[in-house]
Amino acid sequence: MRNRSVADLMTPTAVAVQPGTPFKEIARLLDEYGITAVPVVDEANRPIGVVSEADLLRRHAAKDGPSTAAAMMSSPVVVARPSWTAVEAARLMERHRVKRLPVVDAGGHLIGVLSRSDLLQLFLRRDRSIQEEILEDVVIRILRHSPAALHVDVDEGRVTLSGTLERRSLAPVFVRLCESVDGVVEVVDRLTYEDEEEADAEGGDVAAPGPGV
């Protein structure tokens, strides 16, 4: 099972500006590329800040001080690594309340930008692809279970699990693995368990006490 990484989802040719880039040039770039923020990089192409639409509006309202990227940017910049999972990047965005993350290599050089809209691509996976990944990677490869006894139905990213597992203790693991598959929105557990069926059968075999006992 392979989750798509930041490198898979990011826009690799990032639009960036220099510290001295003026207000109007930044505004033009945001409009031209349909983006809401742009990284500010130094001479070595390392991100040192980010200028967003909100930063431009604040500077315009204040009407004082220099209107260069260096004067308007938010810093220090929050960055992502290309090897991160989408979940790691999404958590970082949420924690810092940002909509875009510059992506840097091991040397700290800008190699792309990851936006919220890039992350949303995960949920556009076809239901059939999600179903196949769960059956092949989760059921067969990880759980080593026969898919004949389990049913995986996927509708608009909502996964419904039914059929019979050997033990109830496997259910939380099964559900968690399904939830980690790219594109899964929700997992519904409708499983039954062999160990409980056996326990019920053994209980039913006990003879009822006769009269006078």
Side-chain angles (χ1 to χ4, degrees):
M1 186 168 62
R2 178 184 179 274
N3 294 106
R4 281 189 281 179
S5 66
V6 167
D8 296 325
L9 298 168
M10 71 180 188
T11 302
T13 52
V15 180
V17 298
Q18 301 292 322
T21 305
F23 182 105
K24 285 193 174 182
E25 176 64 12
I26 297 171
R28 185 190 66 76
L29 287 171
L30 296 184
D31 178 65
E32 180 180 345
Y33 289 94
I35 54 180
T36 59
V38 63
V40 183
V41 297
D42 62 16
E43 293 180 354
N45 199 38
R46 294 189 179 95
I48 57 174
V50 172
V51 177
S52 68
E53 292 174 328
D55 295 323
L56 293 180
L57 292 173
R58 275 194 294 270
R59 178 60 62 181
H60 179 69
K63 295 185 183 301
D64 63 347
S67 295
T68 61
M72 296 183 290
M73 70 183 185
S74 300
S75 182
V77 63
V78 182
V79 299
R81 300 289 182 179
S83 60
W84 287 3
T85 66
V87 172
E88 289 175 303
R91 286 175 179 165
L92 190 66
M93 284 185 183
E94 180 65 23
R95 189 181 315 130
H96 293 275
R97 303 190 178 205
V98 295
K99 298 178 181 179
R100 297 167 66 83
L101 293 172
V103 183
V104 298
D105 62 17
H109 305 99
L110 183 68
I111 58 173
V113 170
L114 182 76
S115 68
R116 285 182 179 176
S117 60
D118 293 327
L119 292 176
L120 288 176
Q121 295 300 313
L122 291 176
F123 299 101
L124 299 180
R125 289 188 74 190
R126 293 184 301 111
D127 289 340
R128 181 65 177 171
S129 297
I130 295 172
Q131 181 189 46
E132 288 174 354
E133 182 172 341
I134 291 174
L135 288 172
E136 294 173 8
D137 288 354
V138 177
V139 175
I140 299 174
R141 188 173 64 83
I142 298 177
L143 296 181
R144 299 186 182 279
H145 200 288
S146 169
L150 295 171
H151 304 286
V152 177
D153 297 308
V154 186
D155 182 23
E156 296 294 322
R158 186 174 186 263
V159 177
T160 302
L161 304 175
S162 58
T164 305
L165 275 176
E166 295 174 0
R167 302 183 304 278
R168 175 177 280 277
S169 60
L170 289 174
V173 177
F174 190 14
V175 170
R176 224 168 21 245
L177 288 169
C178 291
E179 288 173 339
S180 70
V181 171
D182 287 343
V184 172
V185 176
E186 180 186 5
V187 178
V188 179
D189 178 0
R190 293 181 180 166
L191 296 162
T192 57
Y193 313 98
E194 289 181 8
D195 55 356
E196 292 184 356
E197 291 175 358
E198 290 171 1
D200 290 343
E202 289 173 0
D205 290 338
V206 177
V213 176

